[in-house]
Amino acid sequence: MTMIKTENPVPGIRKGLESGVLEAAANKRRKRAYLALLIPGILGLLVSFVFPLLYMVRMSFNEGAPDGVVIDTFTFQTYIKPLTDPYYWRVTLDTFRMGLTVGVLCLVVSYPIALFLVRSTSKYKGLLLAIAIAPLLTSAVVRTYGWMVILGTNGLVNTSLESMGLIGSPLKLTNNMTGVTIGLVEIFMPYAILAMISGFGRLSPQLEEAAGSLGASKFKVFMRITLPLSLPGVFTAFLLVFVMAISTFITPRLLGGGSVQVLATEIYDQTTGLLNWPFAAALSVILLVLFGTIIAIYQRIVQKIGG
């Protein structure tokens, strides 16, 4: 009987097992290293954001006494009032309307600038970008006071229009939502420009050149290629500006002159004026829910665009 001699597979299997064990050990070490790097950030996030947020939510279920004392209890009364009082519904709608208007206007005025900066091949491109975001180097308070001077009754805008004979009496551009909107658009423009520049990575000059070579006009190229490819950056910029606009306090307070009430100014009044911390916390939670709703809608839109 003839014996068939075969090579012993055990050394190869053992070598494969050893390499697998070594790779698994290396993966565990990498995971431990990543976790060690994440721990400081996680702890900082817990201390600076999560714990204060939980405390605010718990505070919203307490009850505020007229003398400013916080009564430790658990009640939904602080939510019933803003959800049933027409005044707070109007404040919430005005806040949403202000954020929507500022976001749209910021996109309209910032989109051409961002597109120009992305397409520019000039050696001064860096300087132009620096000029576009230079307002960020100035405090929003200083810029708001500047707009109060420019838009005031005897400000630059009214005096210029009157000297040209375009108006007979000064326009009311302050202490109303018009002035607040103008100030917020200027303040948030650099953020919109940066967000759109970072989101214009899908733009392809080759596709536009190909469409042009096939006879498409510049308008069709823009509407069918440039604009759709730039939509992720546009939506990101709108979300950023909208969230910042509905949570801003300084500009509505100063340019609004007390006649413009949004959620941020109402929260400030409840906290510092009436000392009703639970009610202010409830309004803050409502504002946070508004944030979450807009972000969820944004995520759905982005998923549909990506799909």
Side-chain angles (χ1 to χ4, degrees):
M1 183 175 181
T2 304
M3 299 289 294
I4 300 176
K5 188 177 181 180
T6 59
E7 187 178 353
N8 188 0
V10 174
I13 295 175
R14 184 179 302 162
K15 185 176 181 181
L17 291 175
E18 290 177 353
S19 62
V21 171
L22 292 175
E23 184 177 356
N27 289 334
K28 288 183 179 179
R29 287 195 297 270
R30 282 195 294 268
K31 289 180 180 179
R32 293 195 194 100
Y34 295 154
L35 182 60
L37 293 173
L38 287 174
I39 286 176
I42 294 175
L43 291 177
L45 186 63
L46 288 174
V47 173
S48 63
F49 179 73
V50 177
F51 290 158
L53 180 62
L54 294 176
Y55 179 79
M56 181 189 71
V57 174
R58 178 63 187 89
M59 176 64 72
S60 68
F61 292 102
N62 291 330
E63 186 176 349
D67 57 355
V69 176
V70 177
I71 302 173
D72 191 8
T73 182
F74 192 89
T75 178
F76 289 94
Q77 189 62 36
T78 50
Y79 286 96
I80 293 175
K81 184 177 180 180
L83 294 178
T84 56
D85 193 331
Y87 170 76
Y88 293 104
W89 273 102
R90 187 173 69 252
V91 169
T92 303
L93 291 176
D94 287 344
T95 304
F96 183 84
R97 190 182 301 114
M98 180 186 70
L100 185 64
T101 304
V102 172
V104 172
L105 291 178
C106 267
L107 293 183
V108 171
V109 298
S110 301
Y111 186 89
I113 300 174
L115 189 60
F116 171 78
L117 291 174
V118 169
R119 296 287 176 79
S120 176
T121 57
S122 172
K123 62 179 180 179
Y124 300 109
K125 180 178 179 179
L127 177 61
L128 297 174
L129 178 60
I131 293 174
I133 64 175
L136 294 178
L137 302 176
T138 306
S139 171
V141 178
V142 176
R143 283 187 281 169
T144 301
Y145 275 113
W147 278 111
M148 292 174 66
V149 174
I150 294 173
L151 300 177
T153 303
N154 298 318
L156 179 63
V157 174
N158 278 315
T159 54
S160 299
L161 293 176
E162 285 179 344
S163 63
M164 290 185 290
L166 297 178
I167 58 175
S169 59
L171 300 176
K172 188 173 177 56
L173 299 176
T174 57
N175 299 333
N176 54 25
M177 188 61 76
T178 301
V180 173
T181 302
I182 294 173
L184 290 178
V185 169
E186 187 274 332
I187 289 172
F188 294 140
M189 269 185 62
Y191 297 100
I193 292 172
L194 288 176
M196 282 190 279
I197 288 176
S198 63
F200 283 177
R202 298 175 62 183
L203 291 178
S204 175
Q206 290 78 14
L207 289 176
E208 296 175 355
E209 292 173 0
S213 65
L214 293 175
S217 63
K218 291 184 178 181
F219 179 76
K220 284 188 176 180
V221 171
F222 174 78
M223 294 300 297
R224 296 189 179 183
I225 297 178
T226 305
L227 183 60
L229 292 178
S230 63
L231 282 181
V234 171
F235 285 126
T236 301
F238 176 80
L239 176 67
L240 177 64
V241 172
F242 180 86
V243 170
M244 295 175 68
I246 65 176
S247 61
T248 189
F249 164 75
I250 295 173
T251 304
R253 190 69 171 185
L254 296 179
L255 274 173
S259 61
V260 175
Q261 290 294 331
V262 291
L263 283 176
T265 58
E266 189 64 30
I267 292 169
Y268 176 83
D269 292 338
Q270 292 291 334
T271 305
T272 61
L274 302 176
L275 300 179
N276 193 344
W277 285 65
F279 190 72
L283 291 178
S284 300
V285 172
I286 293 173
L287 185 60
L288 189 64
V289 171
L290 185 59
F291 286 163
T293 303
I294 297 302
I295 292 175
I297 295 174
Y298 165 78
Q299 291 292 340
R300 292 294 299 271
I301 293 174
V302 170
Q303 289 176 1
K304 289 184 177 181
I305 293 176

